[in-house]
Amino acid sequence: MPTLHWIGKDKIINHHQDVPYKVLNHQYGFSNKGKTETPIDSGNLIINGDNLEALKSLLPKYEGKVNCIYIDPPYNTGNEGWVYNDNTNSPQIKKWLGKVVGKESEDLTRHDKWLCMMYPRLKLLHKLLAKDGVIFISIDDHELSHLKIMMDEIFGPYNFVDYFCWTKTSTPPSLANKSRKTVEYVLCFEKRKTSTKYVAELGDGGDAPLLNSGNPLAKIKFRSEDVFFKMSDVTFPAGQYDKCYLHQNITIKNGYSNIDFELTGTFKWIQKTINLEISQGTTFVIKSDKFSMRFLRTTDSYKAPTNLLKEKYFTTTLDKKNEGIETNEGAKKDLENIFGKYMFDYPKPTSLVSFFINLIENPNSIILDSFAGSGTTAHAVLNLNKQDGGNRKFILIEMENYAETITAERVKRVINGYGEDSKAVEGTGGNFDYYTLGEPLFDDNNNLNENIPIEKIQEYVWFTETRSAYSPPLEGCPKDGVVFLGNHNDTGYYFIYDKDNLTTLDYDSLAAYVQQKAERYIIYADNCLLPETFLREKNIEFKKIPRDITRF
């Protein structure tokens, strides 16, 4: 597979792991009844803040949950006159590049800067996307070729779906103005191209065993999304199976494990080869409780199709004539009708974003836009919900200072209705919560930030342990839920924390706090006075605060 190299890539390739985790601060809720101080908690969010940090803050609740992503990032044209600064020399990004890439950033070309800006954001978007999720990215020819290769690296070349071509203007180019372009592109990738329905119905033909006796024993890690189980609502405890050893307790829901897991066995391939096979579309399947894994390769005779998207659109040019999709001119008129004045030069029309959302045959999907601009994606979601009674949710992230005055304000007017006389548009109804980025969870000394509410710390710790969203347990919660986080896969999680005092795990605290029976216990505290032999006997793992809290 071709790879793309640019100045600063070595500094940026894992930068998404170093981005500080910041909490989200609720500012207000909004519905057609007006503002509320308390959260509405409907699932519709508008977040003002750096989109890289905001994406990181979404992980505990939304990793693997977003069904559709549409983004309209800077095209890197060098045009600095736009309201949305379509140039990576903007103060925010320039400052960020200086911190992360270092002195090399002073020598970066415009393309290098753009790639450095996009790469970690795409890595986090990939994490947030559901196993059957789809991402659409608007772009023009300035960065189209670079974006495709970068997406191949992050999402895998096999998961590429298609290029969509959108006729963006009704004014054709001419010899006198050859720079005027009539077409832009939308790049489409799926998180996992193989149809789970197809794999589930597949018979025993066309596949081969992954285990290969005679090879040395090896431990291989599999992401939950890479192995499909022909069963559901089944729990596999850690232990020895027919020809391999499972290292974690896992639960199968909808054909997939609830967590990443490791197997030890005599495999046909090493970890590097397995990762390469996955990137090229190979599907791994476990068909029985023997836990014997098989694999299916994509060949000319076997194409793993997708049943997620409506296939009829993949070769069409998107324009007003054949699909009812507006142009930039139409989108500008819509914004002028909403706000009563000129707003943006090149907004995306609601009909374009609606087209892509409507390809996802799920009326309850979560739609994310991390370059929200004027709020077109939320407008499209609200329109579609009104049309078909769906319950789609939107998450918008906008880093510029107009997130409140334009992005959120547009959504408010769409909810309530806008325009006058013959141009009046009825409100869609709906609601959202408006957030800003708060403080980091860890301070400069890598200790827990004492200003962070305990429930935010609990949410973070639970996610790092279980990779699932946190819901406070209904019972067994001494001190209002400060200690007992919950049970997950027969493991009880406890977090003994007091920002004003050192906490200790000893016999007294164990008797006072650990009241929920489990096969295993993970207990966080500042200190532990219990003997190692006692911990092993009771199947307790002690984790020291803050040292043993995972950073992700």
Side-chain angles (χ1 to χ4, degrees):
M1 180 183 77
T3 58
L4 189 65
H5 296 280
W6 64 88
I7 299 172
K9 183 178 181 180
D10 60 328
K11 303 287 197 313
I12 217 74
I13 194 166
N14 291 315
H15 175 60
H16 63 286
Q17 297 173 351
D18 300 326
V19 174
Y21 176 83
K22 293 185 176 181
V23 300
L24 295 174
N25 289 337
H26 185 261
Q27 301 300 314
Y28 63 85
F30 182 87
S31 71
N32 53 11
K33 296 180 181 179
K35 282 188 176 182
T36 62
E37 291 185 4
T38 57
I40 293 175
D41 286 333
S42 67
N44 293 324
L45 310 178
I46 299 178
I47 304 168
N48 178 212
D50 181 276
N51 54 11
L52 185 62
E53 294 175 339
L55 289 171
K56 188 75 169 271
S57 297
L58 288 174
L59 285 175
K61 188 171 182 179
Y62 290 100
E63 183 175 30
K65 301 289 180 61
V66 176
N67 306 101
C68 176
I69 295 170
Y70 171 79
I71 58 173
D72 183 20
Y75 286 5
N76 207 20
T77 63
N79 184 345
E80 302 208 14
W82 294 12
V83 176
Y84 185 93
N85 192 353
D86 188 25
N87 184 291
T88 52
N89 284 320
S90 68
Q92 295 96 327
I93 295 174
K94 189 172 183 179
K95 180 180 178 182
W96 173 77
L97 283 171
K99 284 185 176 180
V100 177
V101 183
K103 293 182 179 179
E104 283 182 308
S105 66
E106 299 171 6
D107 299 322
L108 297 181
T109 68
R110 200 172 80 235
H111 296 295
D112 294 318
K113 292 179 182 179
W114 187 87
L115 290 163
C116 283
M117 183 273 292
M118 287 295 294
Y119 195 93
R121 287 162 172 80
L122 290 171
K123 292 285 283 188
L124 291 176
L125 288 169
H126 184 267
K127 285 179 174 291
L128 289 163
L129 203 59
K131 294 183 179 76
D132 60 354
V134 184
I135 182 171
F136 300 94
I137 306 176
S138 282
I139 201 71
D140 75 357
D141 54 0
H142 285 87
E143 298 291 356
L144 176 63
S145 58
H146 295 143
L147 177 61
K148 173 60 168 63
I149 298 174
M150 185 164 53
M151 289 293 290
D152 283 343
E153 181 174 329
I154 296 171
F155 281 73
Y158 176 74
N159 294 314
F160 171 64
V161 176
D162 214 335
Y163 297 100
F164 292 88
C165 299
W166 168 52
T167 304
K168 71 172 187 175
T169 178
S170 56
T171 305
S174 65
L175 292 176
N177 188 2
K178 63 181 181 180
S179 64
R180 183 185 295 137
K181 299 170 183 176
T182 59
V183 173
E184 288 183 4
Y185 308 95
V186 180
L187 200 59
C188 178
F189 274 75
E190 291 183 72
K191 178 75 169 280
R192 180 185 178 87
K193 186 111 178 249
T194 303
S195 162
T196 56
K197 179 180 178 182
Y198 185 84
V199 174
E201 293 175 350
L202 196 67
D204 290 332
D207 60 3
L210 180 64
L211 289 160
N212 189 31
S213 59
N215 286 346
L217 281 173
K219 182 187 286 188
I220 302 292
K221 183 175 182 178
F222 294 93
R223 298 179 304 174
S224 61
E225 64 206 56
D226 293 332
V227 181
F228 181 78
F229 291 78
K230 290 192 67 175
M231 60 204 73
S232 196
D233 298 320
V234 174
T235 296
F236 288 95
Q240 184 68 44
Y241 287 82
D242 186 25
K243 295 180 180 179
C244 65
Y245 185 88
L246 173 65
H247 291 272
Q248 293 83 16
N249 300 327
I250 63 173
T251 301
I252 311 306
K253 295 288 186 183
N254 300 317
Y256 290 96
S257 165
N258 62 315
I259 58 171
D260 299 344
F261 59 88
E262 292 178 320
L263 297 177
T264 294
T266 55
F267 297 103
K268 183 181 181 71
W269 300 310
I270 61 174
Q271 183 80 63
K272 182 177 180 180
T273 311
I274 286 176
N275 294 344
L276 178 62
E277 289 284 335
I278 290 169
S279 72
Q280 294 176 343
T282 297
T283 298
F284 294 92
V285 185
I286 290 178
K287 300 181 178 182
S288 71
D289 56 10
K290 291 183 178 181
F291 224 90
S292 180
M293 191 178 299
R294 304 183 74 81
F295 66 93
L296 304 97
R297 270 200 179 120
T298 298
T299 65
D300 290 337
S301 59
Y302 162 61
K303 295 289 185 183
T306 174
N307 64 349
L308 180 65
L309 299 172
K310 300 175 183 177
E311 298 175 358
K312 67 176 182 176
Y313 296 111
F314 290 153
T315 58
T316 61
T317 298
L318 308 182
D319 59 33
K320 188 171 182 179
K321 180 179 179 182
N322 59 21
E323 298 297 344
I325 294 174
E326 279 285 358
T327 60
N328 276 143
E329 293 91 342
K332 283 195 290 185
K333 290 178 182 178
D334 284 344
L335 277 180
E336 289 174 11
N337 193 29
I338 293 171
F339 288 98
K341 60 182 180 180
Y342 159 82
M343 299 302 294
F344 286 91
D345 274 341
Y346 302 104
K348 293 297 184 291
T350 306
S351 52
L352 177 69
V353 182
S354 295
F355 174 87
F356 294 119
I357 296 174
N358 217 15
L359 293 180
I360 310 301
E361 297 184 308
N362 178 2
N364 301 306
S365 54
I366 298 174
I367 318 297
L368 169 63
D369 184 348
S370 56
F371 293 85
S374 68
T376 303
T377 297
H379 192 164
V381 169
L382 292 168
N383 275 351
L384 288 172
N385 284 344
K386 182 180 179 181
Q387 291 168 14
D388 62 14
N391 191 35
R392 301 170 186 85
K393 304 299 182 184
F394 62 80
I395 302 174
L396 305 187
I397 303 171
E398 178 51 55
M399 67 186 293
E400 298 289 352
N401 57 13
Y402 56 69
E404 167 68 13
T405 58
I406 296 179
T407 312
E409 182 61 28
R410 176 183 185 174
V411 180
K412 294 173 187 176
R413 298 187 185 199
V414 169
I415 288 171
N416 287 326
Y418 59 89
E420 298 179 356
D421 303 328
S422 61
K423 295 183 178 180
V425 177
E426 184 181 42
T428 60
N431 48 54
F432 66 88
D433 284 299
Y434 188 84
Y435 288 85
T436 56
L437 274 177
E439 296 185 32
L441 192 76
F442 298 97
D443 62 22
D444 293 339
N445 296 318
N446 220 16
N447 293 318
L448 284 173
N449 185 341
E450 294 181 354
N451 296 324
I452 301 299
I454 179 63
E455 60 269 16
K456 297 291 186 180
I457 300 174
Q458 289 175 307
E459 180 183 86
Y460 180 93
V461 171
W462 177 265
F463 173 74
T464 61
E465 289 286 353
T466 68
R467 301 315 266 194
S468 62
Y470 180 61
S471 296
L474 298 178
E475 57 184 39
C477 304
K479 291 190 177 179
D480 299 322
V482 172
V483 172
F484 178 57
L485 300 184
N487 285 323
H488 184 79
N489 286 344
D490 298 320
T491 299
Y493 294 91
Y494 294 80
F495 192 72
I496 309 174
Y497 172 72
D498 185 338
K499 69 177 183 178
D500 298 319
N501 300 286
L502 287 175
T503 61
T504 300
L505 176 60
D506 54 20
Y507 291 111
D508 290 338
S509 60
L510 193 65
Y513 299 138
V514 181
Q515 300 173 3
Q516 300 295 305
K517 189 171 181 59
E519 292 185 7
R520 180 169 171 258
Y521 304 90
I522 291 180
I523 304 176
Y524 285 83
D526 293 314
N527 296 297
C528 179
L529 298 180
L530 297 175
E532 283 290 334
T533 53
F534 179 84
L535 293 174
R536 287 196 297 269
E537 179 185 335
K538 299 299 182 180
N539 217 4
I540 297 172
E541 180 179 354
F542 166 70
K543 292 196 175 184
K544 184 176 178 61
I545 300 173
R547 182 194 65 196
D548 295 329
I549 299 177
T550 301
R551 278 63 162 172
F552 63 85

